[in-house]
Structures are given as structure tokens and as C-alpha cells.
Amino acid sequence: MLALWLVLLVPPFLYDPDGKEVFRLPKLMASGWLALASLFFLTWRLRTVEMVRLADLWRWPAVRALAPLLAVATCSLWTTAHPLHAREGLIDLWIGAAALVGWSLALPAARQEQALRLLLWPAAALALFGILQYYRLYEPLQLVGISYDRRLAMTSWAGNPGDLAAYLVLPCLIAQWMLSRRWSAAAGTGRGAAVWAAVALIVSLSAMAMTQTLVSLTAVAAGSFFFWALVLPRRQTSLILGGGAAVALVLVLAVAPLRQRMAAKIGQALHGDWNQVLTGRLDGWRTAVWMLREHPWAGVGHGAFLPEFVPAKLALLDRGTRFDANLLQPVFANAHNEYLEAAADLGVPGLLALGWALWVLAGAVRARPTGRERALAVAGVAALAILALAYFPFRLALIGYPALLFLAWVMRPADPEPDTTERAGVRGRHLVWPLAAVLALALVGQAMRWHARLTAGRLLVVVETRTMAARAKGRASLGLLAANLEALKLAAALDPTEIGVPLARGSQYLVFGQPDLAIESYQAAAALEPRPEIYQNLGAAELADHRIDEARRSFALAVRIDPRIAPVVPPEAR
């Protein structure tokens, strides 16, 4: 339980101020390692299992839901054009799947519920810190530096207002569940715990409203409606609707930025600008659909959406599709829709496997005994389903691992009936040591991966920092170039998927007057993950190497991907 508690309590507060990826990567690496550690200790419970039979495994909802999806995703490693990205994505997928299955089967329901209640502590802390950030009362991190938009500056330890809001969704529903148990005849929550749940709920809802993240607010509203509709008598349904509408109205009226954001969205909807209403998400959805059409049976590969986004965008531009030119990020790392991204990654087989998993999950919800536990199961699943429509909660460790714990609780198998039939199987105590050895190796591998990826990011930051310092002082030298290239070589070996490494290598050659070598590095970067800034830098290197026609093509491609680059294109390359 200590290892499981650490999964919930430690990663939300982790960040790496010296790394290239400050928030999401450290949380992902730490969560994966801690989840494996919890499974390592849970392995010893197998000693109490008399017999494990292959036929029995399929009866467990978590195994039945995940097996087809894991099989399809793993097979994509052999069909994708981006094996490095697929490999990294599959490692995270397998760790998450192992955590879901292990927590579902090995943890008693009381322990699962204890862990779910524990989520209120980090959620309230992140929410409170975000509120203080919003009012500029406490900003010790000083990592974002966005002073013109209070919403974007409200990052907390999540690093992103959208991540923060999505993380608070489940704790808001769990707090309501705790309060309802206190109010029930058979009170399952003490008075002190109920007061704490109320405080955590108020703080979390306030922070979520200040982030102005409408999809998370919608998920909480829908989950809350389902919960209270199942808990309270049917005749009070109208009161539920009225109360929910009143709370939503108070939030909109009380939080001025949220009120302004809602007014802006209504205005965009009235003008028919649905891409603006969805904050540019249509761009990600369109490219995902294009990938599915182009690769219907194999997909682009699990985790390969990002390197395939620009080719998809260019193909759609050729067909006359209009993309939002005002987005801060013209390249989508995720489709902002888990269902469409699964379709793009894994094709029709992946969609079928995902549909099967959702069907099994729905069956697990229906199988739960009626009462507050089933109400929470319905509410949480509904909220996660809505989040998955317009965000990517299962691709972020901050949100994904608490969600996996919740789903493990939902899909916990019922106590099996005694099986007196003689069937072939393996005694539980015989599985302990092999499984413990596999998990020990996985722990070592994840630790090495954690160290490698964070070290690569830090090396990249070091190279960029000392190069800028040397240029500011006018002391750039070949010795600095050699040291930087050696650091980038090590970073590339540690993390081959880090696009910043070949990009930085090309910039080093360009700064030190070697445009021909810079061109090679930028071309390697574009092959790994095409981005507008890569083509912009490639055009600059080709211009420095007197390849005028090639430079014009590179700059034109960069402008097609991101029109905001147009003003900085040199006159001779236009």
C-alpha cells in the first residue's frame, strides 16, 4: 500500500526545472516505476492462491478488457513507420495495463477505496497552489513566465491549466461520494472526513473554474448529475437538475474570466466557427480521421500520431481544409480525442478492440451492487468518457494513473464461487518467483529509462544555455562546438526520440559556420518528427549554403504548416 500511495502522492508534485520536459516526462517516468514497485509487492499475495487456471483469467474484467487492445497495439510495432515512437508508447501502455490488472485483482475493495480517498490530498494541494498562482500570491516555481494570461499562468505543479483541471475531475466526484456516505443512514464516513471532503471539493471546483477548462467542468457536471440521480430518489431528479444548473450559473457569474470565456464561446458558436469553439481541436480530429482513412487496417502505430500529424495536415491543406492559424502550437502531439487517436494509431482493429474494452467496462459497472458505489462507478466512467472526447487523460501520468486506480476499483472481480472441478492449472506459490523476477527486471529497466530520458533533456538544456551565453559574450569557439556535439551525441544515445537533439545539433553547426552539416542534421530531425521550426531552420541553413531554390521550398513548407513564420522569412527566400 505504501508503494501505491506513493504513486498517488509523489508524481503530482514532481518536476524537473533543469530538463527540457519540465512536468509531464518526470511524472510519467516516476509513475511507471512506482506502479511497477506496487505490483512487485502485490505479487506475494499469489502465495495464498490455491490454483491459477488460464480459463479463469478470461473471467476477470480487467484482463478481458485489455487483452485484445494490448495485442493490437503490440502488433503495430511491426507495421509502423515510426518504431522508436511506438516502442516508447508501448512501454508506457504495458506498464499502465499491468497496473490496472494488478490493482484490480490483488487489492481488496477496502484498500482500493482507501487509495481513492487519498486522492483528495494531492488534488486539494494542487488546486490551492493553482488558486494562489492565479491571484499571484505565491509563485515559487517561476517556470512558465506567462504574465499576459492569468489562465495560462495557472499551472500549479501540473504544468498546464488543462492538465490541472482534468486531474481534479475524479477527486471532485470522490469528495461527493464521501459526503453522500456521511449523509446516509449507515454513515460510512466520519464527521472529520466529511468536512475535509467538503473543503477539498470547494477548493478543487474553484481552481477548475479558474482554469476555464470547459471540458473538465462539463465532465464534473455530468458525473455529478449521474451520481446524485442514482443516489437520491427519482422524484428529486428535477431538484438535481435545478441544483446543478444553479451551481453552474453561480460559477459562471462569480468567476469573471470564466464568464468572459463562456460569452466568447457562445459568440463563436453563433457565427458558426466551431473550430474556435473547440479551441482548435477540430485540427487534431481531422488529421486523426485522415490517418484512419489512409491506414485503415494497421494504423500509423501506437504512439506515432505526432510524427504523422504534419504529413496529414499537409494532405488536408492540399484538399482545401482550413486549419486554425491562431493556435499557440500548430503541431498537435495528441489528437485531443482518445477514441480518434486510438483509431489513427491502430486502425479498425484498434477501434474494435477499444469498443470491446468499453463494453466489458460497461458490464463491470452494471455488475456492481446498487447503491453509492455503483453511483460513483457510473459517475466516474461518464466523466472519464467525456474527458476522453476532447482531451487525452490516459496519455498523461498525472491523470492516467489515478484513473487506472479508479477503473481497477470499478472492474474488481466479484468473489469467485468455490471451484471443485479438476482442471489443469498452476499453483499460485509456483508463480510468485517468476513473476517477481519479471517485475524486478521491469523496475530496473524503467529506472534506466527514467534516468536516460531525463538526462538527455538536461544535456539538451545545458547545450542551449551555454551556447546562448557564449554568443551573448561573443566567445563562441570550436572548443565549445566540440563539447556541445559530444553532449548531444550522448543525449541522442540516451533518448533517440528527443527531437530537440538533432535540431540542436543542426543549430550548433549553423552557428559555427558549417551549413552543410547543419542541413544534414535538420533533415534527420524532419525525418524523425516534422515540425515547422525544423523546416524554417533548414531553410536558413540552405540559404547560408547558397542553395536558394531549396531554401525557398523549405521556408514555403514551414509557412504552410505555421503561417506565423511568414514575416520572418528572409527576402531572398520568398
Side-chain angles (χ1 to χ4, degrees), residues 185-201:
T189 301
R191 182 176 180 180
V195 172
W196 161 238
V199 171
L201 176 61

Side-chain angles (χ1 to χ4, degrees), residues 238-438:
S238 58
L239 294 178
I240 300 170
L241 288 172
V247 170
L249 182 61
V250 168
L251 279 175
V252 171
L253 294 176
V255 182
L258 180 60
R259 182 172 66 250
Q260 295 165 4
R261 186 172 175 83
M262 284 293 298
K265 294 296 182 184
I266 293 172
Q268 293 161 358
L270 292 175
H271 286 86
D273 192 350
W274 293 105
N275 202 13
Q276 282 290 325
V277 173
L278 295 167
T279 322
R281 286 178 172 84
L282 276 181
D283 294 350
W285 299 355
R286 288 164 176 160
T287 51
V289 171
W290 183 90
M291 293 178 202
L292 176 61
R293 288 175 178 171
E294 292 296 311
H295 309 276
W297 300 115
V300 298
H302 182 71
F305 179 87
L306 173 57
E308 285 289 334
F309 176 82
V310 166
K313 181 175 182 177
L314 292 173
L316 289 171
L317 286 171
D318 289 337
R319 298 179 183 180
T321 303
R322 295 182 60 184
F323 283 75
D324 192 336
N326 299 316
L327 292 177
L328 290 175
Q329 296 293 335
V331 175
F332 277 46
N334 301 97
H336 285 70
N337 184 305
E338 294 279 17
Y339 314 103
L340 287 178
E341 187 156 355
D345 284 355
L346 306 176
V348 173
L351 267 182
L352 294 175
L354 178 60
W356 167 258
L358 294 175
W359 175 259
V360 174
L361 175 60
V365 172
R366 289 195 302 269
R368 295 194 67 85
T370 57
R372 283 164 175 76
E373 282 65 31
R374 177 186 279 189
L376 178 60
V378 172
V381 169
L384 290 174
I386 291 172
L387 270 182
L389 277 172
Y391 211 60
F392 38 96
F394 292 99
R395 299 174 195 266
L396 299 174
L398 175 67
I399 307 159
Y401 279 91
L404 289 176
L405 174 63
F406 174 79
L407 293 177
W409 174 74
V410 172
M411 290 195 283
R412 183 177 181 271
D415 294 331
E417 297 180 0
D419 190 353
T420 58
T421 59
E422 292 291 335
R423 289 185 294 172
V426 180
R427 295 191 180 277
R429 65 175 181 270
H430 295 159
L431 290 175
V432 171
W433 290 108
L435 188 55
V438 170

